[in-house]
Amino acid sequence: MSQPVVVSIHVAKGRRLPMRSVEQAEVVEARGIVGDRYEGSKHRQVSIQSLEAIGEASEVFGAPIDPALTRRNITVSAGVIPKAPGSLIRIGDLLLEVVRVAAPCKLLDDTIGPDAQVALRRRGGSICRVLESGVVAVGDGVELPPVS
């Protein structure tokens, strides 16, 4: 299996504002993605998800789910996003530490469709804090811990 890569990056200036796609983003240690709604948050600094999990959620939902509508910051091409707190994810110079599972919010039922929140439960990726700063860009390789 080839190394997963970043396939999309999304940011929003406010909590309920639409996500916008960017080709790259500056990510700052202990702060998050510059210009994102969670920049400066103590623990919820970056969210990350896998296209594989989105594919599974699409099957449960009964229709394709656009990764941009899940409200996650970084989407990777493949692999299992770790859920255990303390797990590390490296993307170039960027180092993320998993804080918790990203629980899907009710807003997803409004933006994707009824029961999207249910389909994405346990498939919504993880919330991370930033341990080492860097620039993340579409196409960057992603190092995920081995699945145990």
Side-chain angles (χ1 to χ4, degrees):
M1 183 170 134
S2 61
Q3 180 183 34
V5 297
V6 174
V7 293
S8 63
I9 304 165
H10 293 91
V11 296
K13 290 203 179 282
R15 287 187 60 213
R16 291 191 151 287
L17 296 178
M19 301 291 279
R20 65 182 176 85
S21 179
V22 296
E23 288 297 308
Q24 68 177 28
E26 181 182 359
V27 185
V28 178
E29 179 181 337
R31 293 213 39 87
I33 298 175
V34 173
D36 186 59
R37 67 207 182 277
Y38 292 113
E39 180 184 4
S41 171
K42 185 172 181 175
H43 300 293
R44 186 186 178 111
Q45 296 168 357
V46 175
S47 56
I48 185 167
Q49 66 185 354
S50 171
L51 278 181
E52 285 181 22
I54 298 298
E56 292 171 10
S58 294
E59 287 180 27
V60 171
F61 184 61
I65 294 176
D66 181 345
L69 297 178
T70 63
R71 305 200 56 81
R72 303 294 176 252
N73 297 121
I74 298 172
T75 303
V76 302
S77 60
V80 176
I81 301 301
K83 296 175 182 167
S87 298
L88 301 177
I89 301 168
R90 177 154 309 268
I91 305 172
D93 292 335
L94 181 66
L95 183 63
L96 304 176
E97 177 186 26
V98 173
V99 175
R100 64 177 173 82
V101 170
C105 67
K106 292 178 185 174
L107 182 61
L108 299 180
D109 285 355
D110 297 335
T111 56
I112 298 171
D115 295 326
Q117 179 185 13
V118 172
L120 284 160
R121 196 166 291 133
R122 292 178 298 285
R123 299 175 187 93
S126 291
I127 302 298
C128 303
R129 77 182 75 168
V130 183
L131 298 182
E132 295 176 11
S133 302
V135 173
V136 61
V138 171
D140 282 354
V142 179
E143 296 174 32
L144 298 169
V147 178
S148 51

